Amino acid sequence: MKNSFRALAAVVLLAGFPVLVLALVAGIVVVEVFAFRNRLSHGLEFAVFAAPATYVLLRALFTFDRTGDAPGLPVTAEAQPELWALARELAEAVGTAPPDEIRIMNRANAAVFERTRWFGLRVTGRTLFIGAPLFAGLRVAELRAVLGHEFAHYSNRDTRFAGATYRGRVAILRVLSGLDGASWFSRLLRPLFQVYGWVYFAVSARVSRDQELAADVAAARVAGTAAATGALREIEALNVAWRDFVRKYLMMGWDAGYLPAQPAEGYRLLLTDETRAHETARLCQDPPEEKPSPFDSHPPTAERIRVLEAAGVISGPGAEDRPASELLRDSEEVLGTAWFAELSDEGRTKQRTDWDTLADVSSRHEFGELAARVLRGRSVSGVLDALDAGQLEDLADPDLPIPADADQRARQELVTESARIRLSFVALSQAAGAGGARWTISWSEVTALGLTPRYSGTLFPGIDAAVAGDTAALRSLLSEPGRVSSA
């Protein structure tokens, strides 16, 4: 089956979706009318099903055409003229309409999203989303390739109906998210639409994969082959780095009530860290070879790179080997604001602080929580008394997994190590409370512990000695024992 026919079939399926919904609603109405005419009680009984089922179906229909609130920070042409000029140039170059709006979001990708009517068949507006991490990690030429690729999805220059086919995949997924299974009626009807989506994806998958390759060609045409392949390689690494950054750094102080004041600065420092740079270079050099599913809309990155390189070298515009962030005025402030724009109401209540302070307050909070679980309301001196009495298992993790076939020696080693770790939580929390321990940010290890001369070289040997049965050194070091709170 040729792709033009597949694309046409996908558009027909897309147009048929509202017909399916309305047919189901009409069927329910007919049965309801028949039930009322037959017997009033039957009509009332069936209405218990008919009313919520009709609501779910109509909600799915409107979800199909719904755009919702757009994420990210909107940037105007007046505020960011160079970025807007680039977007308009690239849209024209690939043969599609320019965006009506540009938003910077806190994800490591880019997308063009259309506001539609008539179930995705009529476009009323277009928004270009660009991830803040792309500005931090790409060069201008590579970002040019990324944006050229996204605009090309909505161009029919390479495959007729390709833009509508791509739009349809987005719309069908939006419908399935609307049937979220929150009610049993939704759960009952969802499988029918999943089958419809399965058929649509089966028909359109080949078109979508070929359209991805066609969009890559368009990216090479407007930015050069080197920039297009470089962007594909870099985005693989940027996605990995961004996930780590969000999980380990951006959110590190959340439970303690803090967020970083300069998230863009932190992400840039993470990317330039020597350890991270080696990992980035490895991913760029050797992108993962994934085995694609028949329903995947994207070919594997490695395959996309091979296709581009095999097509021959296209020279890109010159003098664009500068950081993509230079397209923005006041880039670090804009990128930081973009991340905060998507915060929840709870997130907006968090205090903002510098990275070293964030590392310290989050670590203090974490170790305070851990210490409180170990102490269980006891004083530090009470725990040390238990160690003096040989009650090592009392300090070890009560849920410590010990293999059934472990002998006495192995069991003792596991218990001792668990007790050492848990005593470390208490000792570090006490030391931090006394001003003897402070954590700073580390872009290779998340945080770095610093101890004052009183504790440096003595705290951890004291912990080892205490676990071995001699608590004197640790008692002397933690000269102000007391209860550790969970605050």
Side-chain angles (χ1 to χ4, degrees):
M1 187 185 295
K2 291 185 176 180
N3 276 351
S4 58
F5 181 73
R6 286 179 182 269
L8 177 59
V11 172
V12 171
L13 282 169
L14 179 63
F17 184 88
V19 176
L20 171 65
V21 173
L22 294 175
L24 288 171
V25 171
I28 290 172
V29 170
V30 168
V31 173
E32 179 65 26
V33 171
F34 178 80
F36 266 117
R37 286 183 175 179
N38 182 50
R39 183 177 294 180
L40 179 61
S41 61
H42 289 172
L44 293 173
E45 289 172 359
F46 185 71
V48 173
F49 165 80
T54 301
Y55 167 76
V56 168
L57 285 167
L58 292 177
R59 188 182 70 171
L61 186 61
F62 289 118
T63 298
F64 193 71
D65 217 27
R66 186 188 67 199
T67 56
D69 295 330
L73 173 73
V75 292
T76 64
E78 292 74 24
Q80 302 297 341
E82 190 173 0
L83 177 62
W84 270 89
L86 177 63
R88 288 167 176 155
E89 175 200 339
L90 294 173
E92 181 180 2
V94 301
T96 191
D100 302 293
E101 182 183 38
I102 296 179
R103 286 177 172 264
I104 300 176
M105 58 182 181
N106 62 358
R107 273 143 278 184
N109 59 14
V112 174
F113 183 81
E114 294 183 329
R115 296 178 295 281
T116 62
R117 292 290 182 269
W118 298 105
F119 321 111
L121 297 175
R122 178 173 175 265
V123 179
T124 61
R126 178 173 288 179
T127 299
L128 169 62
F129 294 95
I130 310 174
L134 302 188
F135 286 104
L138 297 181
R139 317 300 289 178
V140 170
E142 292 166 339
L143 184 63
R144 183 184 180 92
V146 171
L147 301 187
H149 175 102
E150 294 302 326
F151 282 125
H153 278 309
Y154 293 98
S155 169
N156 290 328
R157 177 175 291 178
D158 298 284
T159 304
R160 194 178 183 194
F161 302 121
T165 304
Y166 181 84
R167 194 176 297 124
R169 293 179 70 91
V170 175
I172 292 287
L173 288 171
R174 205 158 61 232
V175 171
L176 293 175
S177 70
L179 291 170
D180 53 11
S183 66
W184 74 269
F185 306 102
S186 178
R187 291 192 294 273
L188 179 67
L189 294 169
R190 184 180 171 88
L192 173 63
F193 293 100
Q194 283 178 320
V195 171
Y196 198 99
W198 182 89
V199 173
Y200 185 89
F201 292 143
V203 170
S204 66
R206 176 64 183 273
V207 178
S208 295
R209 287 194 294 272
D210 285 352
Q211 218 268 332
E212 288 292 335
L213 297 176
D216 287 339
V217 171
R221 197 164 54 235
V222 298
T225 302
T229 57
L232 288 171
R233 294 178 187 276
E234 288 286 350
I235 287 177
E236 285 283 341
L238 289 176
N239 267 303
V240 173
W242 180 248
R243 287 194 297 270
D244 281 353
F245 183 66
V246 171
R247 179 170 55 89
K248 297 178 181 178
Y249 293 93
L250 279 180
M251 307 302 291
M252 68 189 310
W254 183 272
D255 291 340
Y258 288 84
L259 288 172
Q262 296 293 334
E265 174 197 40
Y267 187 64
R268 177 175 52 78
L269 291 171
L270 177 70
L271 292 178
T272 55
D273 176 74
E274 185 176 354
T275 301
R276 174 63 64 178
H278 285 307
E279 175 67 10
T280 299
R282 186 187 65 78
L283 285 171
C284 290
Q285 182 65 31
D286 188 21
E289 287 274 7
E290 303 136 338
K291 186 176 181 180
S293 159
F295 299 99
D296 282 349
S297 62
H298 287 63
T301 299
E303 178 186 337
R304 295 168 65 184
I305 292 171
R306 284 194 296 270
V307 170
L308 273 176
E309 291 176 341
V313 175
I314 301 173
S315 299
E320 292 202 299
D321 188 31
R322 56 188 175 119
S325 59
E326 292 188 7
L327 290 169
L328 299 173
R329 293 175 175 172
D330 303 317
S331 61
E332 288 209 350
E333 180 181 347
V334 170
L335 297 179
T337 304
W339 184 69
F340 289 132
E342 297 188 48
L343 280 178
S344 64
D345 290 340
E346 181 184 0
R348 293 188 177 92
T349 68
K350 306 293 183 182
Q351 296 184 58
R352 313 284 169 77
T353 189
D354 63 89
W355 282 104
D356 280 336
T357 302
L358 184 70
D360 189 55
V361 296
S362 64
S363 296
R364 285 171 179 263
H365 179 83
E366 179 183 5
F367 278 96
E369 291 272 314
L370 292 169
R373 292 176 201 167
V374 174
L375 293 173
R376 303 193 306 275
R378 299 171 295 179
S379 67
V380 176
S381 60
V383 170
L384 296 178
D385 289 343
L387 288 174
D388 281 336
Q391 298 171 5
L392 194 63
E393 291 197 14
D394 184 62
L395 184 58
D397 184 353
D399 299 319
L400 179 67
I402 298 178
D405 59 348
D407 59 22
Q408 184 60 33
R409 179 178 177 181
R411 176 187 175 86
Q412 186 63 28
E413 287 178 353
L414 289 171
V415 169
T416 300
E417 182 59 23
S418 176
R420 177 183 291 107
I421 291 171
R422 286 163 63 82
L423 184 58
S424 297
F425 299 157
V426 175
L428 282 169
S429 181
Q430 289 291 105
R438 180 175 176 81
W439 288 266
T440 55
I441 201 72
S442 169
W443 300 111
S444 55
E445 300 177 4
V446 186
T447 60
L449 172 64
L451 297 173
T452 61
R454 170 177 169 79
Y455 295 90
S456 179
T458 58
L459 182 64
F460 291 105
I463 292 170
D464 292 338
V467 171
D470 180 5
T471 65
L474 194 58
R475 282 182 188 275
S476 174
L477 196 60
L478 306 180
S479 56
E480 298 179 2
R483 298 181 185 275
V484 176
S485 72
S486 59

